[in-house]
Amino acid sequence: MKRQKKHVRVYLACTVRGDRGGVEAGRAICRLLQDHGHEVLTTHLLADDVNEAESRLTVEDVYRRDVEWLSGYDVLVAEASGSSDGVGFEVGYVLGRAGVSGQQVVLVYDAARHHAISRLITGNCDRSCTTFGYTSIQELTSFIDQHFKPDIGL
């Protein structure tokens, strides 16, 4: 992915109902993106009670809302360390439209969990996708900083 030179709208995806082990990484990504002035609407996914909060909506409402959001964002950043059909759907949805929409996907995952993560994630080499296995939160935030820090003076 090319270095971002402007404010971008980011859909941050992470596991809601499955293994929430990647939430700490998602929170670090979110803070850094916001510090760089990017818009992250899906911050609610990082709350400890997200499953309870989301259960107040019908499944159809969640689907409609999320597809609308996915359609309107510049970049999908997906923390894919946990097993999640939802994150996989979101990645597939955006990549399936990327040729027309111009959207990009950044897939990150905990490299220590490489053996437990789908090869469709770890092996993703789509031209609209950047995939990165991190070994620490510090390494992850350096990667995010490198790809999303606006150039000075812009």
Side-chain angles (χ1 to χ4, degrees):
M1 170 176 230
K2 293 181 181 178
R3 192 170 156 135
Q4 299 296 320
K5 296 183 180 185
K6 61 178 178 113
H7 161 87
V8 293
R9 297 183 57 171
V10 178
Y11 184 107
L12 178 59
C14 65
T15 304
V16 171
R17 293 181 131 180
D19 177 353
R20 298 270 295 161
V23 171
E24 179 185 349
R27 289 174 179 154
I29 293 167
C30 184
R31 279 190 301 271
L32 190 55
L33 290 171
Q34 290 175 327
D35 286 349
H36 288 322
H38 302 303
E39 179 184 359
V40 182
L41 185 59
T42 54
T43 57
H44 69 286
L45 297 177
L46 304 170
D48 289 333
D49 66 345
V50 65
N51 192 36
E52 179 184 327
E54 289 284 281
S55 69
R56 294 182 190 119
L57 301 171
T58 68
V59 292
E60 292 85 3
D61 288 340
V62 170
Y63 175 84
R64 285 186 198 100
R65 178 200 65 198
D66 288 5
V67 166
E68 181 179 327
W69 285 350
L70 285 166
S71 299
Y73 277 77
D74 304 306
V75 181
L76 166 68
V77 176
E79 204 303 320
S81 298
S83 176
S84 173
D85 294 330
V87 172
F89 173 88
E90 292 161 333
V91 169
Y93 182 84
V94 172
L95 288 179
R97 305 173 67 248
V100 174
S101 71
Q103 293 172 303
Q104 294 287 309
V105 172
V106 175
L107 274 173
V108 298
Y109 63 91
D110 183 345
R113 294 185 43 89
H114 187 273
H115 66 282
I117 299 169
S118 170
R119 290 182 221 176
L120 289 171
I121 297 294
T122 60
N124 193 317
C125 56
D126 188 284
R127 65 185 176 133
S128 296
C129 184
T130 301
T131 305
F132 181 72
Y134 61 88
T135 59
S136 67
I137 297 295
Q138 181 180 8
E139 184 180 34
L140 172 61
T141 56
S142 292
F143 170 81
I144 294 295
D145 190 54
Q146 176 185 3
H147 285 81
F148 288 92
K149 186 173 184 177
D151 290 333
I152 305 289
L154 295 177

